[in-house]
mmCIF file of all heavy atoms in Angstrom:
data_model
loop_
_atom_site.group_PDB
_atom_site.id
_atom_site.type_symbol
_atom_site.label_atom_id
_atom_site.label_comp_id
_atom_site.label_asym_id
_atom_site.label_seq_id
_atom_site.Cartn_x
_atom_site.Cartn_y
_atom_site.Cartn_z
ATOM 1 N N LEU A 1 92.890 106.855 103.295
ATOM 2 C CA LEU A 1 93.899 105.814 103.143
ATOM 3 C C LEU A 1 95.157 106.294 102.415
ATOM 4 O O LEU A 1 96.298 105.878 102.744
ATOM 5 C CB LEU A 1 93.332 104.590 102.432
ATOM 6 C CG LEU A 1 92.360 103.749 103.312
ATOM 7 C CD1 LEU A 1 91.725 102.649 102.410
ATOM 8 C CD2 LEU A 1 93.077 103.167 104.465
ATOM 9 N N LEU A 2 94.982 107.084 101.396
ATOM 10 C CA LEU A 2 96.092 107.620 100.652
ATOM 11 C C LEU A 2 96.947 108.508 101.493
ATOM 12 O O LEU A 2 98.171 108.599 101.317
ATOM 13 C CB LEU A 2 95.598 108.356 99.397
ATOM 14 C CG LEU A 2 95.055 107.471 98.261
ATOM 15 C CD1 LEU A 2 94.477 108.318 97.147
ATOM 16 C CD2 LEU A 2 96.168 106.508 97.750
ATOM 17 N N GLN A 3 96.375 109.251 102.387
ATOM 18 C CA GLN A 3 97.130 110.184 103.242
ATOM 19 C C GLN A 3 97.923 109.334 104.323
ATOM 20 O O GLN A 3 98.965 109.751 104.750
ATOM 21 C CB GLN A 3 96.212 111.155 103.899
ATOM 22 C CG GLN A 3 95.684 112.172 102.966
ATOM 23 C CD GLN A 3 94.815 113.193 103.621
ATOM 24 O OE1 GLN A 3 94.510 113.018 104.829
ATOM 25 N NE2 GLN A 3 94.338 114.162 102.913
ATOM 26 N N LEU A 4 97.417 108.189 104.730
ATOM 27 C CA LEU A 4 98.085 107.360 105.764
ATOM 28 C C LEU A 4 99.228 106.569 105.145
ATOM 29 O O LEU A 4 100.171 106.232 105.854
ATOM 30 C CB LEU A 4 97.056 106.449 106.436
ATOM 31 C CG LEU A 4 96.084 107.068 107.318
ATOM 32 C CD1 LEU A 4 95.097 106.042 107.827
ATOM 33 C CD2 LEU A 4 96.749 107.798 108.469
ATOM 34 N N HIS A 5 99.206 106.285 103.915
ATOM 35 C CA HIS A 5 100.227 105.434 103.259
ATOM 36 C C HIS A 5 101.621 106.077 103.336
ATOM 37 O O HIS A 5 102.595 105.322 103.771
ATOM 38 C CB HIS A 5 99.844 105.136 101.793
ATOM 39 C CG HIS A 5 100.898 104.282 101.117
ATOM 40 N ND1 HIS A 5 101.062 102.968 101.452
ATOM 41 C CD2 HIS A 5 101.818 104.596 100.152
ATOM 42 C CE1 HIS A 5 102.046 102.481 100.680
ATOM 43 N NE2 HIS A 5 102.490 103.488 99.919
ATOM 44 N N PRO A 6 101.865 107.303 103.093
ATOM 45 C CA PRO A 6 103.229 107.900 103.254
ATOM 46 C C PRO A 6 103.685 107.877 104.692
ATOM 47 O O PRO A 6 104.915 107.738 104.968
ATOM 48 C CB PRO A 6 103.132 109.285 102.720
ATOM 49 C CG PRO A 6 101.921 109.282 101.808
ATOM 50 C CD PRO A 6 101.013 108.279 102.426
ATOM 51 N N ALA A 7 102.814 107.979 105.629
ATOM 52 C CA ALA A 7 103.208 107.916 107.039
ATOM 53 C C ALA A 7 103.816 106.641 107.399
ATOM 54 O O ALA A 7 104.769 106.587 108.198
ATOM 55 C CB ALA A 7 102.027 108.221 107.911
ATOM 56 N N LYS A 8 103.335 105.543 106.852
ATOM 57 C CA LYS A 8 103.926 104.221 107.124
ATOM 58 C C LYS A 8 105.389 104.173 106.691
ATOM 59 O O LYS A 8 106.218 103.638 107.368
ATOM 60 C CB LYS A 8 103.053 103.142 106.462
ATOM 61 C CG LYS A 8 103.515 101.749 106.828
ATOM 62 C CD LYS A 8 102.512 100.744 106.290
ATOM 63 C CE LYS A 8 102.579 100.642 104.765
ATOM 64 N NZ LYS A 8 101.768 99.563 104.263
ATOM 65 N N GLY A 9 105.691 104.804 105.536
ATOM 66 C CA GLY A 9 107.073 104.815 105.041
ATOM 67 C C GLY A 9 107.936 105.606 105.976
ATOM 68 O O GLY A 9 109.111 105.283 106.171
ATOM 69 N N ALA A 10 107.499 106.730 106.519
ATOM 70 C CA ALA A 10 108.280 107.570 107.373
ATOM 71 C C ALA A 10 108.633 106.815 108.680
ATOM 72 O O ALA A 10 109.717 106.925 109.167
ATOM 73 C CB ALA A 10 107.559 108.877 107.664
ATOM 74 N N ILE A 11 107.661 106.036 109.209
ATOM 75 C CA ILE A 11 107.886 105.264 110.424
ATOM 76 C C ILE A 11 108.993 104.241 110.129
ATOM 77 O O ILE A 11 109.879 104.064 110.976
ATOM 78 C CB ILE A 11 106.592 104.626 110.874
ATOM 79 C CG1 ILE A 11 105.611 105.693 111.381
ATOM 80 C CG2 ILE A 11 106.863 103.651 111.976
ATOM 81 C CD1 ILE A 11 104.248 105.170 111.663
ATOM 82 N N TYR A 12 108.963 103.649 109.000
ATOM 83 C CA TYR A 12 109.950 102.635 108.635
ATOM 84 C C TYR A 12 111.375 103.237 108.457
ATOM 85 O O TYR A 12 112.359 102.690 108.916
ATOM 86 C CB TYR A 12 109.553 101.890 107.330
ATOM 87 C CG TYR A 12 110.542 100.809 106.936
ATOM 88 C CD1 TYR A 12 110.725 99.664 107.679
ATOM 89 C CD2 TYR A 12 111.293 101.014 105.789
ATOM 90 C CE1 TYR A 12 111.599 98.700 107.320
ATOM 91 C CE2 TYR A 12 112.225 100.021 105.400
ATOM 92 C CZ TYR A 12 112.393 98.852 106.159
ATOM 93 O OH TYR A 12 113.301 97.929 105.808
ATOM 94 N N ARG A 13 111.412 104.472 107.856
ATOM 95 C CA ARG A 13 112.732 105.136 107.728
ATOM 96 C C ARG A 13 113.263 105.566 109.087
ATOM 97 O O ARG A 13 114.477 105.483 109.286
ATOM 98 C CB ARG A 13 112.547 106.357 106.777
ATOM 99 C CG ARG A 13 112.512 105.894 105.323
ATOM 100 C CD ARG A 13 112.609 107.178 104.443
ATOM 101 N NE ARG A 13 111.363 107.918 104.470
ATOM 102 C CZ ARG A 13 110.302 107.702 103.687
ATOM 103 N NH1 ARG A 13 110.340 106.700 102.792
ATOM 104 N NH2 ARG A 13 109.222 108.415 103.745
ATOM 105 N N ARG A 14 112.427 105.955 110.053
ATOM 106 C CA ARG A 14 112.890 106.274 111.361
ATOM 107 C C ARG A 14 113.487 105.001 112.028
ATOM 108 O O ARG A 14 114.464 105.082 112.713
ATOM 109 C CB ARG A 14 111.757 106.804 112.195
ATOM 110 C CG ARG A 14 111.374 108.234 111.958
ATOM 111 C CD ARG A 14 110.207 108.668 112.858
ATOM 112 N NE ARG A 14 109.917 110.037 112.607
ATOM 113 C CZ ARG A 14 110.354 111.000 113.427
ATOM 114 N NH1 ARG A 14 111.079 110.752 114.467
ATOM 115 N NH2 ARG A 14 110.020 112.239 113.171
ATOM 116 N N TYR A 15 112.796 103.867 111.812
ATOM 117 C CA TYR A 15 113.331 102.606 112.360
ATOM 118 C C TYR A 15 114.674 102.251 111.791
ATOM 119 O O TYR A 15 115.631 101.921 112.513
ATOM 120 C CB TYR A 15 112.301 101.463 112.034
ATOM 121 C CG TYR A 15 112.792 100.097 112.392
ATOM 122 C CD1 TYR A 15 112.877 99.695 113.682
ATOM 123 C CD2 TYR A 15 113.204 99.239 111.333
ATOM 124 C CE1 TYR A 15 113.326 98.433 113.987
ATOM 125 C CE2 TYR A 15 113.718 97.995 111.630
ATOM 126 C CZ TYR A 15 113.764 97.565 112.969
ATOM 127 O OH TYR A 15 114.247 96.323 113.258
ATOM 128 N N LEU A 16 114.833 102.485 110.461
ATOM 129 C CA LEU A 16 116.149 102.199 109.833
ATOM 130 C C LEU A 16 117.223 103.116 110.378
ATOM 131 O O LEU A 16 118.388 102.741 110.567
ATOM 132 C CB LEU A 16 116.047 102.349 108.305
ATOM 133 C CG LEU A 16 115.302 101.230 107.539
ATOM 134 C CD1 LEU A 16 115.278 101.556 106.085
ATOM 135 C CD2 LEU A 16 115.976 99.874 107.782
ATOM 136 N N CYS A 17 116.842 104.363 110.585
ATOM 137 C CA CYS A 17 117.798 105.319 111.170
ATOM 138 C C CYS A 17 118.282 104.899 112.515
ATOM 139 O O CYS A 17 119.453 104.973 112.834
ATOM 140 C CB CYS A 17 117.171 106.710 111.227
ATOM 141 S SG CYS A 17 118.276 108.043 111.752
ATOM 142 N N LYS A 18 117.396 104.411 113.341
ATOM 143 C CA LYS A 18 117.753 103.888 114.714
ATOM 144 C C LYS A 18 118.655 102.700 114.551
ATOM 145 O O LYS A 18 119.546 102.520 115.328
ATOM 146 C CB LYS A 18 116.522 103.582 115.482
ATOM 147 C CG LYS A 18 115.636 104.691 115.857
ATOM 148 C CD LYS A 18 116.233 105.548 116.929
ATOM 149 C CE LYS A 18 115.246 106.626 117.331
ATOM 150 N NZ LYS A 18 115.921 107.642 118.158
ATOM 151 N N GLN A 19 118.381 101.804 113.595
ATOM 152 C CA GLN A 19 119.233 100.608 113.377
ATOM 153 C C GLN A 19 120.640 101.054 113.001
ATOM 154 O O GLN A 19 121.580 100.282 113.306
ATOM 155 C CB GLN A 19 118.635 99.738 112.306
ATOM 156 C CG GLN A 19 117.340 99.042 112.715
ATOM 157 C CD GLN A 19 117.516 98.100 113.873
ATOM 158 O OE1 GLN A 19 118.474 97.420 113.984
ATOM 159 N NE2 GLN A 19 116.572 98.097 114.798
ATOM 160 N N LEU A 20 120.856 102.140 112.329
ATOM 161 C CA LEU A 20 122.136 102.628 111.897
ATOM 162 C C LEU A 20 122.821 103.494 112.992
ATOM 163 O O LEU A 20 123.726 104.180 112.716
ATOM 164 C CB LEU A 20 122.055 103.398 110.583
ATOM 165 C CG LEU A 20 121.581 102.615 109.384
ATOM 166 C CD1 LEU A 20 121.318 103.540 108.203
ATOM 167 C CD2 LEU A 20 122.673 101.606 109.003
ATOM 168 N N GLU A 21 122.229 103.410 114.237
ATOM 169 C CA GLU A 21 122.721 104.217 115.342
ATOM 170 C C GLU A 21 122.655 105.716 115.103
ATOM 171 O O GLU A 21 123.559 106.436 115.488
ATOM 172 C CB GLU A 21 124.131 103.789 115.725
ATOM 173 C CG GLU A 21 124.206 102.330 116.117
ATOM 174 C CD GLU A 21 125.618 101.833 116.387
ATOM 175 O OE1 GLU A 21 126.562 102.671 116.276
ATOM 176 O OE2 GLU A 21 125.771 100.696 116.744
ATOM 177 N N GLY A 22 121.594 106.116 114.407
ATOM 178 C CA GLY A 22 121.439 107.531 114.141
ATOM 179 C C GLY A 22 120.183 108.074 114.832
ATOM 180 O O GLY A 22 119.530 107.412 115.613
ATOM 181 N N ARG A 23 119.946 109.331 114.556
ATOM 182 C CA ARG A 23 118.728 109.963 115.091
ATOM 183 C C ARG A 23 118.182 110.943 114.043
ATOM 184 O O ARG A 23 118.925 111.483 113.260
ATOM 185 C CB ARG A 23 119.054 110.682 116.460
ATOM 186 C CG ARG A 23 120.121 111.727 116.231
ATOM 187 C CD ARG A 23 120.577 112.255 117.640
ATOM 188 N NE ARG A 23 121.581 113.295 117.482
ATOM 189 C CZ ARG A 23 121.216 114.580 117.358
ATOM 190 N NH1 ARG A 23 119.992 114.982 117.356
ATOM 191 N NH2 ARG A 23 122.142 115.520 117.169
ATOM 192 N N CYS A 24 116.928 111.158 114.090
ATOM 193 C CA CYS A 24 116.259 112.075 113.134
ATOM 194 C C CYS A 24 116.269 113.514 113.704
ATOM 195 O O CYS A 24 115.795 113.698 114.822
ATOM 196 C CB CYS A 24 114.809 111.606 112.858
ATOM 197 S SG CYS A 24 114.713 109.995 112.070
ATOM 198 N N GLU A 25 116.777 114.427 112.885
ATOM 199 C CA GLU A 25 116.881 115.806 113.344
ATOM 200 C C GLU A 25 116.598 116.736 112.141
ATOM 201 O O GLU A 25 116.658 116.299 111.012
ATOM 202 C CB GLU A 25 118.314 116.079 113.827
ATOM 203 C CG GLU A 25 118.584 115.462 115.223
ATOM 204 C CD GLU A 25 117.720 116.078 116.323
ATOM 205 O OE1 GLU A 25 117.361 117.241 116.254
ATOM 206 O OE2 GLU A 25 117.374 115.281 117.233
ATOM 207 N N ILE A 26 116.433 117.975 112.479
ATOM 208 C CA ILE A 26 116.279 119.025 111.428
ATOM 209 C C ILE A 26 117.617 119.278 110.711
ATOM 210 O O ILE A 26 117.660 119.291 109.484
ATOM 211 C CB ILE A 26 115.684 120.379 112.037
ATOM 212 C CG1 ILE A 26 114.289 120.108 112.599
ATOM 213 C CG2 ILE A 26 115.642 121.453 110.983
ATOM 214 C CD1 ILE A 26 113.713 121.243 113.357
ATOM 215 N N ASN A 27 118.644 119.503 111.472
ATOM 216 C CA ASN A 27 119.967 119.734 110.988
ATOM 217 C C ASN A 27 120.942 118.834 111.727
ATOM 218 O O ASN A 27 120.814 118.677 112.951
ATOM 219 C CB ASN A 27 120.416 121.180 111.130
ATOM 220 C CG ASN A 27 119.634 122.083 110.249
ATOM 221 O OD1 ASN A 27 119.345 121.788 109.070
ATOM 222 N ND2 ASN A 27 119.243 123.226 110.787
ATOM 223 N N CYS A 28 121.913 118.307 110.990
ATOM 224 C CA CYS A 28 122.984 117.556 111.704
ATOM 225 C C CYS A 28 123.921 118.501 112.350
ATOM 226 O O CYS A 28 124.186 119.615 111.845
ATOM 227 C CB CYS A 28 123.723 116.675 110.701
ATOM 228 S SG CYS A 28 122.678 115.431 109.945
ATOM 229 N N LEU A 29 124.476 118.091 113.502
ATOM 230 C CA LEU A 29 125.453 118.929 114.181
ATOM 231 C C LEU A 29 126.833 118.847 113.433
ATOM 232 O O LEU A 29 127.000 118.000 112.553
ATOM 233 C CB LEU A 29 125.621 118.463 115.630
ATOM 234 C CG LEU A 29 124.294 118.556 116.491
ATOM 235 C CD1 LEU A 29 124.556 117.861 117.802
ATOM 236 C CD2 LEU A 29 123.872 119.969 116.646
ATOM 237 N N ILE A 30 127.715 119.746 113.840
ATOM 238 C CA ILE A 30 129.013 119.815 113.169
ATOM 239 C C ILE A 30 129.764 118.465 113.180
ATOM 240 O O ILE A 30 130.368 118.043 112.207
ATOM 241 C CB ILE A 30 129.878 120.952 113.738
ATOM 242 C CG1 ILE A 30 129.199 122.275 113.511
ATOM 243 C CG2 ILE A 30 131.323 120.927 113.201
ATOM 244 C CD1 ILE A 30 129.877 123.436 114.294
ATOM 245 N N PHE A 31 129.720 117.814 114.334
ATOM 246 C CA PHE A 31 130.480 116.556 114.501
ATOM 247 C C PHE A 31 129.647 115.312 114.038
ATOM 248 O O PHE A 31 130.036 114.192 114.367
ATOM 249 C CB PHE A 31 130.893 116.385 115.965
ATOM 250 C CG PHE A 31 129.756 116.446 116.970
ATOM 251 C CD1 PHE A 31 129.104 115.318 117.325
ATOM 252 C CD2 PHE A 31 129.363 117.636 117.529
ATOM 253 C CE1 PHE A 31 127.986 115.341 118.201
ATOM 254 C CE2 PHE A 31 128.331 117.693 118.436
ATOM 255 C CZ PHE A 31 127.678 116.564 118.751
ATOM 256 N N GLU A 32 128.571 115.542 113.361
ATOM 257 C CA GLU A 32 127.765 114.421 112.868
ATOM 258 C C GLU A 32 127.787 114.332 111.332
ATOM 259 O O GLU A 32 128.060 115.373 110.710
ATOM 260 C CB GLU A 32 126.316 114.561 113.360
ATOM 261 C CG GLU A 32 126.156 114.408 114.835
ATOM 262 C CD GLU A 32 124.687 114.547 115.271
ATOM 263 O OE1 GLU A 32 124.003 115.352 114.686
ATOM 264 O OE2 GLU A 32 124.349 113.879 116.247
ATOM 265 N N GLU A 33 127.451 113.218 110.852
ATOM 266 C CA GLU A 33 127.343 113.041 109.364
ATOM 267 C C GLU A 33 125.894 112.677 109.028
ATOM 268 O O GLU A 33 125.234 112.041 109.800
ATOM 269 C CB GLU A 33 128.291 111.992 108.875
ATOM 270 C CG GLU A 33 128.019 110.598 109.377
ATOM 271 C CD GLU A 33 128.994 109.551 108.849
ATOM 272 O OE1 GLU A 33 129.583 109.768 107.838
ATOM 273 O OE2 GLU A 33 129.123 108.475 109.575
ATOM 274 N N LYS A 34 125.514 113.108 107.847
ATOM 275 C CA LYS A 34 124.162 112.755 107.329
ATOM 276 C C LYS A 34 124.242 111.419 106.722
ATOM 277 O O LYS A 34 125.039 111.112 105.814
ATOM 278 C CB LYS A 34 123.726 113.790 106.284
ATOM 279 C CG LYS A 34 122.398 113.533 105.664
ATOM 280 C CD LYS A 34 122.061 114.537 104.612
ATOM 281 C CE LYS A 34 120.874 114.036 103.822
ATOM 282 N NZ LYS A 34 120.645 114.798 102.605
ATOM 283 N N ILE A 35 123.392 110.468 107.175
ATOM 284 C CA ILE A 35 123.416 109.094 106.626
ATOM 285 C C ILE A 35 122.138 108.729 105.927
ATOM 286 O O ILE A 35 122.003 107.553 105.463
ATOM 287 C CB ILE A 35 123.734 108.053 107.726
ATOM 288 C CG1 ILE A 35 122.719 108.140 108.886
ATOM 289 C CG2 ILE A 35 125.124 108.223 108.312
ATOM 290 C CD1 ILE A 35 122.858 107.089 109.946
ATOM 291 N N GLY A 36 121.254 109.672 105.796
ATOM 292 C CA GLY A 36 120.018 109.336 105.048
ATOM 293 C C GLY A 36 118.920 110.340 105.422
ATOM 294 O O GLY A 36 119.204 111.362 105.954
ATOM 295 N N GLY A 37 117.719 109.970 105.151
ATOM 296 C CA GLY A 37 116.586 110.865 105.420
ATOM 297 C C GLY A 37 115.494 110.174 106.198
ATOM 298 O O GLY A 37 115.256 108.968 105.966
ATOM 299 N N CYS A 38 114.893 110.896 107.071
ATOM 300 C CA CYS A 38 113.722 110.403 107.823
ATOM 301 C C CYS A 38 112.450 110.792 107.111
ATOM 302 O O CYS A 38 111.406 110.199 107.350
ATOM 303 C CB CYS A 38 113.697 110.971 109.249
ATOM 304 S SG CYS A 38 115.081 110.323 110.221
ATOM 305 N N ARG A 39 112.491 111.782 106.205
ATOM 306 C CA ARG A 39 111.419 112.233 105.354
ATOM 307 C C ARG A 39 110.168 112.728 106.103
ATOM 308 O O ARG A 39 109.001 112.622 105.575
ATOM 309 C CB ARG A 39 110.988 111.088 104.409
ATOM 310 C CG ARG A 39 112.071 110.643 103.498
ATOM 311 C CD ARG A 39 112.241 111.653 102.432
ATOM 312 N NE ARG A 39 113.250 111.119 101.505
ATOM 313 C CZ ARG A 39 114.048 111.873 100.819
ATOM 314 N NH1 ARG A 39 114.127 113.146 100.983
ATOM 315 N NH2 ARG A 39 114.928 111.329 99.986
ATOM 316 N N ALA A 40 110.347 113.182 107.304
ATOM 317 C CA ALA A 40 109.229 113.818 107.979
ATOM 318 C C ALA A 40 109.396 115.264 107.838
ATOM 319 O O ALA A 40 110.517 115.769 107.646
ATOM 320 C CB ALA A 40 109.235 113.399 109.463
ATOM 321 N N ASP A 41 108.344 116.068 107.906
ATOM 322 C CA ASP A 41 108.432 117.492 107.720
ATOM 323 C C ASP A 41 109.325 118.195 108.701
ATOM 324 O O ASP A 41 110.077 119.059 108.405
ATOM 325 C CB ASP A 41 107.058 118.141 107.704
ATOM 326 C CG ASP A 41 106.231 117.776 106.549
ATOM 327 O OD1 ASP A 41 106.836 117.419 105.524
ATOM 328 O OD2 ASP A 41 104.983 117.846 106.632
#
């Protein structure tokens, strides 16, 4: 259960990123700005 708890937070952060018209990536492209973190490895 303790290992599953952080995964729930990552799913919620991905949802927030989509709401801000963003996408989760390893590195942002030159013409993109970093607006937060998805917190996945």
Side-chain angles (χ1 to χ4, degrees):
L1 285 175
L2 288 174
Q3 289 179 356
L4 290 176
H5 180 69
K8 187 170 68 172
I11 293 169
Y12 181 68
R13 282 188 289 273
R14 283 181 179 260
Y15 171 76
L16 286 179
C17 186
K18 294 286 184 194
Q19 292 296 320
L20 295 171
E21 299 175 0
R23 59 191 183 87
C24 295
E25 288 294 328
I26 295 172
N27 291 318
C28 295
L29 300 175
I30 295 171
F31 57 88
E32 293 179 325
E33 64 180 336
K34 178 184 167 191
I35 57 174
C38 292
R39 299 285 185 213
D41 289 338

